[in-house]
Amino acid sequence: MGRRRVSVARRLPRPAELWSYLRPPATTVRPRRLARAASIADLRELARRRVPRAVFDYVDGAAETETSLTRARAAFADVEFRPRVLRDVSAVDPSTTLLGRPSALPIVFAPTGFTRMMHVAGEPAVAGAAAGLGIPYALSTMGTTTPEALAEAVPGGERWFQLYLGRDRPAAAKLVDRAAASGFSTLVLTVDTATSGARLRDVRNGMTVPPSLTPRTLLDMATHPGWWFNVLTTEPLGFASVDPTGAAFGDVVGDLLDPALTFEDLAALRRSWTGPLVVKGVQTVEDARAVVDLGADAIVLSNHGGRQLDRAPTPLEWLPEAVAEVGDRTEIYVDGGVLGGADVVAAVALGARAVLVGRAYLYGLMAGGRAGVEHAGRILREDVVRTMTLLGVTSVAELNPDLVRFRKGQR
């Protein structure tokens, strides 16, 4: 038997119906390339095309075989959510408090070095986006903007300052005083940098700060003229807070990373700094206990995004152990491998107070300056709210270990 032909009634479309197809989407107020980015992964791809390879790889890469970074992403991928249904989730509030201060999300924009290398807008763009989002931003000692300049550029918002307690202790103390005088509320001491990690992408790319003019970089000029124009027509890249003399890059880093740093130095810093103190780079329960005993108000379970010791502990995996050990005495944050709001929700459900995000906003910065960072923030917020809604919770306080588990047999 042959197939019967189905008759379809046809008509001309009404003008109002045509308009619904032709009208521009609301997102066109943003640059078109950003409007098309629906995820942090999309922003990463945009960033890869818009900056020189050495710059992208500096952000995207990790140490040695990059095993630590791969494991961090795998740990988040192995999380299985256990949603609750038939709950009223018509109003979801993703806000929380961090160190006694309100935060619109359980997210902190992490400290990152050389930020103006990613985009000429630099740290003020990131701090401004964080302030607009209602979350803290931490300025790095290795930043390309001074604490004073950042406070002037972005007078609002919650500002933290990340410290490398280098060989020159008096200079470090003066830097801390400058941050305090500029209104930075919280000090973040990084403790996992006895020396620099072997970041092989940077070595292979011949990356220097500021960039060197070589045959490879001259070729990059042809393919990324906008980036190079910005670099060549603005102040030279350097450590704005600690390098007023234009010293060699390696010499400055060598002075900032002190292999002689000990718990005694942390104790001394705790005595001198009266505000909240966060210790970043804790990687074992034993060190977590010791750091909290010395008065840390919060710790960051971190292997530096996989950029220091390769095959270091994966923060998300041992988060529950850390929470059981010191979670009643300090706030616990996590970083490394966070590329979406679902990652944030998973970490908080497993016991983290908040998550530090670095690469995710840097992809946005490279893709589109401040607008790109703001777009990354919107993506993260929408991800968090959607994930909470589908989990059946209406507040961050409701996130708990009953809602998540690592896939059976994987952990």
Side-chain angles (χ1 to χ4, degrees):
M1 295 177 59
R3 284 184 290 179
R4 297 178 60 186
R5 301 183 66 179
V6 179
S7 178
V8 178
R10 306 224 179 238
R11 65 178 179 82
L12 291 174
R14 299 185 182 94
E17 294 169 339
L18 284 174
W19 173 244
S20 69
Y21 289 103
L22 297 175
R23 65 185 177 188
T27 54
T28 53
V29 295
R30 282 170 265 157
R32 185 177 300 175
R33 63 180 180 276
L34 294 178
R36 290 197 296 264
S39 68
I40 300 299
D42 291 343
L43 286 176
R44 176 182 180 274
E45 181 59 23
L46 279 175
R48 186 184 65 79
R49 298 199 301 262
R50 291 188 60 81
V51 300
R53 176 177 176 177
V55 175
F56 177 80
D57 279 353
Y58 174 78
V59 172
D60 195 60
E64 301 181 37
T65 62
E66 304 193 355
T67 298
S68 289
L69 179 57
T70 301
R71 287 176 178 172
R73 288 301 311 146
F76 281 110
D78 282 344
V79 169
E80 180 178 87
F81 288 118
R82 304 179 67 238
R84 303 294 189 260
V85 298
L86 298 176
R87 269 65 168 184
D88 181 357
V89 287
S90 54
V92 172
D93 180 6
S95 67
T96 187
T97 60
L98 303 179
L99 299 168
R101 296 172 181 260
S103 180
L105 293 166
I107 293 174
V108 178
F109 275 179
T112 59
F114 315 135
T115 310
R116 197 159 56 85
M117 181 174 69
M118 295 32 147
H119 190 281
V120 68
E123 288 89 356
V126 181
L133 197 59
I135 64 173
Y137 165 66
L139 175 66
S140 172
T141 296
M142 293 187 182
T144 48
T145 301
T146 65
E148 296 84 356
L150 187 69
E152 182 178 356
V154 187
E158 182 72 11
R159 296 190 302 277
W160 297 5
F161 186 78
Q162 177 272 334
L163 176 69
Y164 288 108
L165 196 55
R167 302 170 193 268
D168 188 340
R169 297 291 197 271
K174 290 179 182 178
L175 184 56
V176 170
D177 289 342
R178 288 170 55 194
S182 299
F184 287 72
S185 65
T186 299
L187 190 64
V188 182
L189 176 66
T190 297
V191 295
D192 60 353
T193 52
T195 189
S196 295
R199 301 168 192 175
L200 300 185
R201 289 203 217 181
D202 296 346
V203 174
R204 291 164 183 148
N205 287 329
M207 198 207 77
T208 62
V209 179
S212 301
L213 293 180
T214 65
R216 176 180 289 180
T217 55
L218 290 172
L219 177 62
D220 254 337
M221 284 185 177
T223 55
H224 302 95
W227 185 90
W228 277 102
F229 176 80
N230 285 330
V231 167
L232 296 175
T233 59
T234 56
E235 289 297 315
L237 288 169
F239 299 109
S241 297
V242 296
D243 181 22
T245 62
F249 167 74
D251 292 340
V252 177
V253 172
D255 287 339
L256 287 177
L257 307 183
D258 186 1
L261 190 69
T262 69
F263 285 106
E264 290 300 321
D265 296 301
L266 172 59
L269 186 64
R270 175 69 285 181
R271 290 191 295 269
S272 64
W273 174 261
T274 59
L277 177 63
V278 180
V279 177
K280 179 178 180 290
V282 178
Q283 298 175 70
T284 67
V285 167
E286 295 80 10
D287 282 350
R289 189 186 308 117
V291 164
V292 174
D293 287 345
L294 288 173
D297 298 293
I299 59 174
V300 185
L301 311 186
S302 171
N303 59 28
H304 218 100
R307 297 166 66 81
Q308 286 294 102
L309 177 65
D310 201 14
R311 293 177 288 178
T314 303
L316 189 72
E317 291 183 342
W318 72 279
L319 169 61
E321 185 182 2
V323 171
E325 183 67 30
V326 298
D328 59 339
R329 296 197 289 143
T330 193
E331 294 187 1
I332 298 178
Y333 308 148
V334 170
D335 75 1
V338 178
L339 292 180
D343 296 338
V344 174
V345 171
V348 174
L350 285 167
R353 186 75 178 184
V355 171
L356 271 66
V357 171
R359 286 184 178 92
Y361 78 69
L362 289 179
Y363 294 140
L365 183 67
M366 290 186 287
R370 176 166 174 169
V373 181
E374 291 172 341
H375 192 59
R378 278 190 293 267
I379 289 171
L380 290 169
R381 187 186 190 284
E382 291 168 3
D383 284 354
V384 168
V385 172
R386 181 178 58 253
T387 303
M388 290 175 62
T389 302
L390 293 173
L391 270 177
V393 301
T394 60
S395 70
V396 170
E398 295 177 50
L399 293 172
N400 64 78
D402 291 338
L403 298 171
V404 290
R405 65 186 176 196
F406 289 109
R407 289 187 300 153
K408 190 173 181 179
Q410 297 298 308
R411 289 286 185 273

